[in-house]
Coordinates of all heavy atoms in Angstrom, one line a residue:
R6 N 29.0 14.5 2.4 CA 28.0 14.2 1.5 C 28.7 14.2 0.0 O 29.7 14.8 -0.2 CB 27.0 15.3 1.5 CG 25.9 15.2 0.6 CD 24.8 16.1 0.9 NE 23.7 16.1 0.0 CZ 22.7 16.8 0.1 NH1 22.5 17.6 1.0 NH2 21.7 16.7 -0.9
A9 N 27.0 17.0 -5.8 CA 25.5 17.1 -6.2 C 25.2 16.5 -7.6 O 24.1 16.3 -8.0 CB 25.0 18.5 -6.1
R10 N 26.2 16.3 -8.4 CA 26.0 15.7 -9.7 C 26.5 14.3 -9.8 O 27.7 14.1 -9.5 CB 26.7 16.6 -10.8 CG 26.5 15.9 -12.2 CD 27.1 16.9 -13.3 NE 27.0 16.3 -14.6 CZ 25.9 16.4 -15.4 NH1 24.9 17.1 -15.0 NH2 25.9 15.8 -16.5
R11 N 25.7 13.4 -10.3 CA 26.1 12.0 -10.3 C 25.8 11.4 -11.7 O 24.7 11.7 -12.2 CB 25.6 11.1 -9.3 CG 26.0 9.7 -9.2 CD 25.4 9.0 -8.0 NE 25.8 9.6 -6.7 CZ 25.4 9.2 -5.6 NH1 24.7 8.1 -5.5 NH2 25.8 9.8 -4.5
I13 N 25.3 7.9 -14.1 CA 25.2 6.5 -14.2 C 25.3 6.1 -15.6 O 24.6 6.6 -16.5 CB 23.9 6.0 -13.6 CG1 23.7 6.4 -12.1 CG2 23.7 4.5 -13.7 CD1 22.4 6.1 -11.5
R111 N 5.3 7.9 -4.1 CA 5.8 8.3 -5.5 C 4.6 8.4 -6.4 O 4.0 7.5 -6.7 CB 6.9 7.3 -5.9 CG 7.9 6.9 -5.0 CD 9.0 6.0 -5.6 NE 9.7 6.6 -6.7 CZ 10.8 7.3 -6.5 NH1 11.3 7.5 -5.3 NH2 11.5 7.8 -7.6
Q135 N 7.8 13.7 -11.5 CA 7.4 12.8 -10.4 C 7.6 13.6 -9.1 O 8.4 14.5 -9.0 CB 8.3 11.6 -10.5 CG 7.9 10.5 -9.5 CD 8.8 9.3 -9.7 OE1 9.9 9.1 -9.1 NE2 8.5 8.4 -10.6
W136 N 6.8 13.1 -8.1 CA 7.1 13.6 -6.7 C 7.3 12.3 -5.9 O 6.5 11.4 -5.9 CB 5.9 14.4 -6.1 CG 6.3 15.0 -4.8 CD1 6.8 16.2 -4.6 CD2 6.0 14.4 -3.5 NE1 7.0 16.4 -3.2 CE2 6.5 15.3 -2.5 CE3 5.5 13.2 -3.0 CZ2 6.6 15.1 -1.2 CZ3 5.5 12.9 -1.7 CH2 6.0 13.9 -0.8
A137 N 8.4 12.4 -5.0 CA 8.7 11.3 -4.2 C 9.1 11.8 -2.8 O 10.0 12.6 -2.7 CB 9.9 10.5 -4.8
D145 N 7.8 20.9 -1.7 CA 8.8 21.5 -2.6 C 10.1 20.6 -2.8 O 10.8 20.8 -3.7 CB 9.1 22.9 -2.2 CG 8.0 23.9 -2.4 OD1 7.0 23.5 -3.1 OD2 8.0 24.9 -1.8
D146 N 10.3 19.7 -1.8 CA 11.6 19.0 -1.7 C 11.6 17.7 -2.5 O 12.7 17.2 -2.7 CB 11.9 18.7 -0.2 CG 12.2 19.9 0.6 OD1 12.5 21.0 0.0 OD2 12.1 19.8 1.8
G147 N 10.5 17.3 -3.1 CA 10.5 15.9 -3.6 C 10.3 15.8 -5.1 O 10.0 14.7 -5.6
F148 N 10.4 16.9 -5.8 CA 10.1 16.9 -7.3 C 11.3 16.3 -8.1 O 12.5 16.6 -7.8 CB 9.7 18.2 -7.8 CG 8.4 18.6 -7.5 CD1 8.1 19.5 -6.5 CD2 7.3 18.1 -8.1 CE1 6.8 19.9 -6.1 CE2 6.0 18.4 -7.8 CZ 5.7 19.3 -6.8
I149 N 11.0 15.5 -9.1 CA 12.0 14.9 -10.1 C 11.4 15.1 -11.4 O 10.3 14.9 -11.7 CB 12.1 13.4 -9.8 CG1 12.6 13.1 -8.3 CG2 13.1 12.7 -10.8 CD1 12.4 11.7 -7.9
Y150 N 12.2 15.6 -12.4 CA 11.8 15.8 -13.7 C 12.9 15.5 -14.7 O 14.1 15.6 -14.4 CB 11.3 17.2 -13.9 CG 12.2 18.3 -13.5 CD1 13.1 18.8 -14.5 CD2 12.3 18.8 -12.2 CE1 14.0 19.8 -14.2 CE2 13.2 19.8 -11.9 CZ 14.1 20.2 -12.9 OH 15.0 21.2 -12.5
G151 N 12.5 15.2 -15.9 CA 13.4 14.9 -17.0 C 12.8 14.2 -18.2 O 11.6 14.3 -18.3
A152 N 13.5 13.4 -18.9 CA 13.0 12.8 -20.1 C 13.9 11.5 -20.5 O 15.1 11.6 -20.2 CB 12.9 13.8 -21.2
V172 N 17.8 11.5 -19.0 CA 18.4 12.7 -18.2 C 17.3 13.2 -17.2 O 16.2 13.6 -17.7 CB 18.9 13.9 -19.1 CG1 19.4 15.0 -18.2 CG2 20.0 13.4 -20.1
F173 N 17.6 13.1 -16.0 CA 16.6 13.5 -14.9 C 17.3 14.4 -13.9 O 18.4 14.1 -13.4 CB 16.0 12.3 -14.2 CG 14.9 11.6 -15.1 CD1 15.2 10.7 -16.0 CD2 13.6 12.0 -14.9 CE1 14.3 10.1 -16.8 CE2 12.6 11.4 -15.7 CZ 12.9 10.5 -16.7
R174 N 16.6 15.4 -13.5 CA 17.0 16.3 -12.4 C 16.3 15.6 -11.2 O 15.2 15.8 -10.9 CB 16.5 17.7 -12.5 CG 16.9 18.6 -11.3 CD 18.4 18.5 -11.0 NE 18.7 19.3 -9.9 CZ 19.9 19.4 -9.3 NH1 20.9 18.7 -9.8 NH2 20.1 20.1 -8.2
D175 N 17.1 14.7 -10.5 CA 16.6 14.0 -9.3 C 16.7 15.0 -8.1 O 17.1 16.1 -8.3 CB 17.5 12.8 -9.1 CG 16.6 11.7 -8.4 OD1 15.7 12.0 -7.7 OD2 17.0 10.5 -8.6
I176 N 16.3 14.5 -6.9 CA 16.3 15.4 -5.8 C 17.8 15.8 -5.5 O 18.6 15.0 -5.0 CB 15.7 14.7 -4.6 CG1 14.3 14.3 -5.0 CG2 15.7 15.6 -3.4 CD1 13.5 13.4 -4.0
E177 N 18.1 17.1 -5.8 CA 19.4 17.6 -5.6 C 20.5 16.9 -6.3 O 21.7 17.1 -6.0 CB 19.8 17.7 -4.1 CG 18.8 18.6 -3.3 CD 19.3 18.9 -1.9 OE1 20.5 18.5 -1.5 OE2 18.5 19.5 -1.1
E178 N 20.3 16.1 -7.3 CA 21.2 15.5 -8.2 C 20.8 15.5 -9.6 O 19.5 15.5 -9.8 CB 21.5 14.1 -7.7 CG 22.3 14.0 -6.3 CD 22.8 12.6 -6.1 OE1 22.5 11.7 -6.9 OE2 23.5 12.4 -5.2
T179 N 21.7 15.4 -10.5 CA 21.3 15.2 -11.9 C 21.8 13.8 -12.3 O 22.9 13.4 -12.2 CB 22.0 16.2 -12.8 OG1 21.6 17.5 -12.5 CG2 21.7 16.0 -14.3
E180 N 20.8 13.0 -12.8 CA 21.0 11.7 -13.2 C 21.1 11.6 -14.8 O 20.3 12.1 -15.4 CB 19.9 10.7 -12.8 CG 19.7 10.7 -11.3 CD 20.9 10.0 -10.5 OE1 21.8 9.5 -11.2 OE2 20.8 9.9 -9.3
F181 N 22.2 10.9 -15.3 CA 22.4 10.8 -16.8 C 22.8 9.4 -17.1 O 23.8 8.9 -16.5 CB 23.4 11.8 -17.2 CG 24.0 11.6 -18.5 CD1 23.4 12.0 -19.7 CD2 25.1 10.8 -18.6 CE1 23.9 11.8 -20.9 CE2 25.7 10.6 -19.8 CZ 25.1 11.1 -21.0
F182 N 22.1 8.7 -18.0 CA 22.6 7.4 -18.4 C 22.2 7.0 -19.8 O 21.0 7.2 -20.1 CB 22.2 6.3 -17.3 CG 20.8 6.1 -17.2 CD1 20.0 5.3 -18.0 CD2 20.1 6.7 -16.0 CE1 18.6 5.2 -17.7 CE2 18.8 6.5 -15.7 CZ 18.0 5.8 -16.6
G204 N 13.9 5.1 -16.6 CA 13.3 6.2 -15.9 C 14.2 6.7 -14.8 O 15.5 6.4 -14.8
P205 N 13.7 7.6 -13.9 CA 14.6 8.2 -12.8 C 15.4 7.2 -12.0 O 16.4 7.4 -11.5 CB 13.7 9.0 -12.0 CG 12.5 9.2 -12.9 CD 12.3 8.0 -13.8
A206 N 14.8 6.0 -11.8 CA 15.4 5.0 -10.9 C 16.4 4.2 -11.7 O 17.2 3.4 -11.0 CB 14.3 4.0 -10.3
G207 N 16.6 4.3 -13.0 CA 17.6 3.6 -13.7 C 17.2 2.9 -15.0 O 16.0 3.1 -15.4
R230 N 18.3 -0.5 -9.7 CA 17.3 0.4 -9.2 C 17.9 1.3 -8.1 O 18.6 0.8 -7.1 CB 16.0 -0.3 -8.7 CG 15.2 -0.8 -9.8 CD 14.5 0.4 -10.5 NE 13.8 0.1 -11.7 CZ 14.3 0.2 -12.9 NH1 15.5 0.5 -13.1 NH2 13.5 -0.1 -14.0
R231 N 17.7 2.6 -8.2 CA 18.1 3.6 -7.3 C 17.1 4.7 -7.1 O 16.8 5.4 -8.1 CB 19.5 4.2 -7.7 CG 20.0 5.2 -6.8 CD 21.4 5.7 -7.3 NE 21.9 6.8 -6.5 CZ 21.7 8.1 -6.9 NH1 21.1 8.4 -8.0 NH2 22.2 9.1 -6.1
Y232 N 16.5 4.7 -5.9 CA 15.4 5.7 -5.7 C 15.8 6.8 -4.7 O 16.6 6.5 -3.7 CB 14.2 5.0 -5.0 CG 13.6 3.9 -5.8 CD1 13.9 2.6 -5.4 CD2 12.8 4.1 -6.9 CE1 13.4 1.5 -6.1 CE2 12.3 3.1 -7.6 CZ 12.6 1.7 -7.2 OH 12.0 0.6 -7.9
R233 N 15.5 8.0 -5.0 CA 15.7 9.1 -4.0 C 14.3 9.7 -3.6 O 13.5 9.8 -4.4 CB 16.6 10.1 -4.6 CG 18.1 9.6 -4.7 CD 18.9 10.6 -5.5 NE 19.1 11.9 -4.9 CZ 20.0 12.1 -3.9 NH1 20.7 11.1 -3.4 NH2 20.1 13.4 -3.4
F234 N 14.2 10.2 -2.3 CA 12.9 10.7 -1.9 C 13.2 11.7 -0.8 O 14.2 11.5 0.0 CB 12.0 9.5 -1.4 CG 12.7 8.5 -0.7 CD1 12.9 8.5 0.7 CD2 13.1 7.3 -1.4 CE1 13.5 7.5 1.3 CE2 13.8 6.2 -0.8 CZ 13.9 6.3 0.6
A235 N 12.4 12.7 -0.6 CA 12.4 13.7 0.4 C 11.9 13.0 1.7 O 11.1 12.2 1.8 CB 11.6 14.9 0.1
I246 N 17.3 13.8 2.7 CA 16.9 12.9 1.5 C 17.3 11.5 1.9 O 18.4 11.2 2.5 CB 17.8 13.3 0.3 CG1 17.5 14.8 -0.1 CG2 17.5 12.4 -0.9 CD1 18.6 15.3 -1.1
G247 N 16.4 10.6 1.5 CA 16.6 9.2 1.7 C 16.9 8.6 0.3 O 16.5 9.1 -0.7
E248 N 17.6 7.4 0.3 CA 18.0 6.9 -0.9 C 18.0 5.3 -0.7 O 18.5 4.8 0.3 CB 19.3 7.3 -1.4 CG 19.8 6.7 -2.8 CD 21.1 7.3 -3.2 OE1 21.2 8.5 -3.5 OE2 22.1 6.5 -3.3
S249 N 17.5 4.6 -1.7 CA 17.5 3.1 -1.7 C 18.1 2.6 -2.9 O 17.6 3.0 -4.0 CB 16.1 2.5 -1.4 OG 16.1 1.1 -1.6
E283 N 20.8 11.5 3.7 CA 21.6 12.7 3.5 C 21.0 13.8 4.2 O 19.8 14.1 4.1 CB 21.6 13.0 2.0 CG 22.3 11.9 1.1 CD 22.4 12.4 -0.4 OE1 21.9 13.5 -0.7 OE2 22.7 11.5 -1.2

Side-chain angles (χ1 to χ4, degrees):
R6 188 168 174 179
R10 178 180 177 86
R11 185 175 300 180
I13 299 175
R111 305 179 69 86
Q135 187 179 93
W136 188 87
D145 294 343
D146 292 341
F148 283 103
I149 302 166
Y150 56 90
V172 180
F173 282 89
R174 178 57 183 174
D175 210 333
I176 302 173
E177 295 192 11
E178 289 190 354
T179 298
E180 301 288 0
F181 163 86
F182 56 86
R230 282 293 174 260
R231 177 174 175 265
Y232 305 101
R233 290 171 64 81
F234 39 87
I246 300 166
E248 182 177 295
S249 171
E283 298 179 7

